[in-house]
Amino acid sequence: MLLCIPLSPGLQEAKTDISMATKDDSEVRLSHDLSEGEIKATQKRREKVLMCLKNLGIHCEQNNVPNIVVLGSGGGLRALIALLGTLVELKKNNLLDAVMYLCGVSGSTWCMSLLYEDRKWSENLMSLEKELCKNLSNLSWHITKAKESLAESSKDEHYSLTDFWASCFVYKILQQFDENELADHREASETGINPYPIYAAVDKEALKEKDGNLPETWFEFTPHEVGYTALGAFVSTKHFGSEFENGKLKKKGKKKHICYMQGLWGSALGNMEENLKFIRGSVRDVITVVFKTIQCALTWKWGTTNNFLYNCPYSQPSYLIKTKTISLIDAGLAINSAYPLVLRAQRRTDLIISFDFSSGDPFETIKKTATYCQENNIPFPKIEDQKMDENNPSDCYIFRGDKSCPTVMHFPLFNNMNCSDKIEEYRKRFPTFHMFFPEGDIKDLLEKARLNVSNNIGKILDEIKCLVSSFHPKEF
């Protein structure tokens, strides 16, 4: 299928006249095509998906393999644990290998980035689950490491609260400080063993416009490229944060480690009380860090980095051409699930399996997505026909449309199937801004997430079978 995202007239004309697609990764790539790395990775993954479906008794040809996406919403540590349990249950039921893309927001990106350290994580998922749960229930972070990281980060002219949040709190929550880069995850995404990962953020300035429904609000990260999805403007992931001008690399920036990225993807608003507590405890040792952090707090400066579209030819909108920096923040502040990224036309998404770990209304993400798609003329199933009781949700909702849009399966985390009449009790027990859960609570949360999969395996298989039986051959 082909989904079209409308462009401004100037940008549309630029795309017609020139597509700055280039193998030189030191240049900005202006093209709506997928990156060469993603194309090769998903082609390899398609072989795995085809084999998985055949083992499940679903027979299709190479050019009829459905593109299945698993979406994990935000929700802090709750989302990390719940997505882990979800993936484990998909694995146990032999469905994980049918997934082409894994896409996350905020807390779900924490889970993903931890997993992709292992280049064969989907094969080693059971042992990784035990290891991650053991780490999460451990309180062994080192304040010295946090201070060292902050001291180094404070030398950067674009130091922001994201650096502080990553070093002091994401590190503390995840109990590890990953100094690798996102580009280092290429091997884990290129062999076909694992789904292809997509991480979400949003542009802070664009988020202020049109209630956050501008397509150029969304910014995606993959192991190969980062950039503005709707604008078709990307740079190599290894150059994220570097200085560009006129579409060309001007000065290489300091490498952004995974811990920083986890802070950027999952920043939300941070915990100001805890932030100030850390500052007060560290003031004598890290005066410079404290001073810069306070400056950032006064202006609420998050995720500031060099803008690779500065003075870039053929690029729109104009504010991105004129400004030297951009600020990227938690995508959950827009839509707490990254539908806009997987609805990118070139990804040809057929089935979205959305696991919603949000607090509050478990249907807010799909409601916001429906509005976003309506305002931007993007095909999306109608959701008004189904009753959605936010106080007493069921465990699975299926939204279907015509052939122009994907089928969406929506799974609220806490529901009347896995929590019975204790939905509100579980919501209060697992708040978003909790930085630690005891081991018993982690196991309980994992079980609730698993049930949402195991109780609906038949429905998931039926949707895949329905898609395959109605397919016409695709061209790739």
Side-chain angles (χ1 to χ4, degrees):
M1 81 182 58
L2 186 64
L3 308 178
C4 296
I5 298 178
L7 306 173
S8 63
L11 181 59
Q12 201 160 22
E13 183 179 350
K15 297 296 181 264
T16 303
D17 294 340
I18 184 167
S19 174
M20 288 176 57
T22 173
K23 292 184 178 180
D24 184 355
D25 65 7
S26 66
E27 295 183 6
V28 174
R29 186 176 75 88
L30 292 177
S31 172
H32 283 280
D33 295 337
L34 300 178
S35 70
E36 195 173 289
E38 180 175 342
I39 291 171
K40 289 181 178 178
T42 51
Q43 285 177 340
K44 190 69 176 175
R45 179 65 178 175
R46 190 165 289 109
E47 298 171 11
K48 188 83 169 179
V49 174
L50 180 62
M51 185 181 301
C52 173
L53 294 181
K54 286 185 177 180
N55 290 337
L56 291 168
I58 302 173
H59 298 282
C60 56
E61 301 300 323
Q62 182 77 21
N63 59 352
N64 272 355
V65 175
N67 281 353
I68 301 171
V69 175
V70 165
L71 278 186
S73 80
L77 184 56
R78 178 186 63 245
L80 186 165
I81 297 167
L83 180 59
L84 180 60
T86 297
L87 295 173
V88 167
E89 196 62 27
L90 287 171
K91 176 69 176 178
K92 286 181 178 178
N93 286 276
N94 301 312
L95 267 173
L96 183 57
D97 286 343
V99 177
M100 178 66 71
Y101 288 101
L102 179 57
C103 183
V105 165
S106 199
S108 285
T109 66
W110 292 351
C111 177
M112 291 168 58
S113 54
L114 290 172
L115 291 175
Y116 280 86
E117 292 177 30
D118 186 325
R119 65 187 184 89
K120 294 184 178 181
W121 69 261
S122 60
E123 294 181 355
N124 304 326
L125 192 50
M126 309 310 178
S127 60
L128 287 173
E129 180 190 31
K130 292 180 181 178
E131 181 182 338
L132 290 175
C133 290
K134 181 180 178 181
N135 289 342
L136 292 174
S137 58
N138 185 16
L139 292 174
S140 61
W141 82 296
H142 302 288
I143 193 170
T144 302
K145 177 63 180 176
K147 289 179 179 178
E148 290 174 352
S149 172
L150 281 173
E152 183 62 30
S153 299
S154 66
K155 298 174 185 176
D156 190 333
E157 65 174 317
H158 299 311
Y159 176 85
S160 74
L161 293 175
T162 300
D163 295 278
F164 190 86
W165 174 248
S167 296
C168 301
F169 295 96
V170 174
Y171 168 34
K172 186 175 182 179
I173 293 167
L174 304 185
Q175 293 297 311
Q176 72 174 65
F177 195 103
D178 190 342
E179 298 188 73
N180 293 312
E181 300 172 69
L182 182 57
D184 294 331
H185 290 181
R186 288 181 180 181
E187 187 176 1
S189 63
E190 289 175 343
T191 60
I193 294 174
N194 309 305
Y196 192 77
I198 309 170
Y199 303 85
V202 290
D203 186 300
K204 184 179 177 182
E205 293 305 313
L207 185 61
K208 299 174 183 177
E209 305 295 328
K210 285 188 66 178
D211 295 323
N213 284 321
L214 283 179
E216 54 261 39
T217 299
W218 287 82
F219 195 98
E220 68 176 55
F221 296 78
T222 74
H224 295 96
E225 283 190 340
V226 304
Y228 288 92
T229 311
L231 297 178
F234 305 94
V235 292
S236 171
T237 301
K238 68 182 182 181
H239 292 317
F240 174 65
S242 294
E243 189 175 341
F244 282 76
E245 189 167 354
N246 296 318
K248 297 183 181 297
L249 180 65
K250 183 178 178 181
K251 180 183 178 183
K252 287 187 178 181
K254 179 186 173 185
K255 294 179 179 179
K256 301 291 188 182
H257 49 64
I258 291 291
C259 189
Y260 172 85
M261 303 302 285
Q262 290 166 336
L264 188 153
W265 299 325
S267 53
L269 294 178
N271 186 318
M272 182 51 65
E273 182 180 344
E274 290 294 323
N275 287 346
L276 293 175
K277 187 189 297 183
F278 182 92
I279 291 173
R280 286 194 294 267
S282 307
V283 66
R284 285 174 293 184
D285 300 321
V286 283
I287 297 296
T288 302
V289 171
V290 171
F291 178 70
K292 295 192 75 169
T293 302
I294 291 174
Q295 283 185 315
C296 291
L298 290 173
T299 57
W300 212 237
K301 180 182 177 183
W302 288 86
T304 302
T305 189
N306 285 306
N307 174 23
F308 64 84
L309 292 177
Y310 178 59
N311 279 343
C312 181
Y314 314 108
S315 180
Q316 293 284 344
S318 59
Y319 81 88
L320 280 176
I321 302 174
K322 296 175 182 177
T323 181
K324 288 189 175 182
T325 63
I326 54 174
S327 293
L328 300 174
I329 55 176
D330 192 320
L333 297 171
I335 300 174
N336 201 31
S337 201
Y339 283 95
L341 303 189
V342 300
L343 291 172
R344 181 177 170 184
Q346 293 74 17
R347 290 193 168 122
R348 300 171 180 263
T349 300
D350 299 301
L351 174 62
I352 297 174
I353 307 177
S354 172
F355 295 94
D356 196 290
F357 313 128
S358 307
S359 62
D361 184 355
F363 303 105
E364 184 178 35
T365 55
I366 198 161
K367 291 174 184 175
K368 282 189 172 183
T369 301
T371 300
Y372 173 91
C373 290
Q374 184 177 12
E375 290 192 11
N376 294 291
N377 298 316
I378 300 171
F380 195 74
K382 290 183 178 180
I383 67 170
E384 298 84 1
D385 298 336
Q386 293 198 37
K387 181 181 178 181
M388 294 179 283
D389 184 348
E390 65 180 89
N391 296 314
N392 189 37
S394 187
D395 59 346
C396 178
Y397 295 79
I398 302 174
F399 304 94
R400 304 182 187 91
D402 57 31
K403 292 182 179 180
S404 68
C405 63
T407 297
V408 176
M409 302 187 74
H410 183 80
F411 297 82
L413 174 57
F414 301 129
N415 53 72
N416 57 25
M417 298 300 292
N418 64 4
C419 295
S420 187
D421 59 350
K422 298 181 179 179
I423 295 173
E424 192 58 34
E425 179 182 319
Y426 270 91
R427 288 175 177 173
K428 291 179 180 177
R429 185 176 160 196
F430 295 97
T432 300
F433 292 106
H434 237 49
M435 298 177 67
F436 171 79
F437 294 121
E439 185 177 358
D441 285 359
I442 291 176
K443 289 181 178 179
D444 194 4
L445 184 53
L446 286 169
E447 180 60 23
K448 292 292 179 282
R450 290 194 190 105
L451 285 171
N452 287 336
V453 176
S454 60
N455 289 341
N456 293 285
I457 287 298
K459 292 180 181 179
I460 296 173
L461 287 172
D462 286 345
E463 290 306 314
I464 297 174
K465 290 175 183 177
C466 182
L467 281 171
V468 170
S469 65
S470 64
F471 272 175
H472 296 291
K474 294 180 182 178
E475 294 182 4
F476 294 99

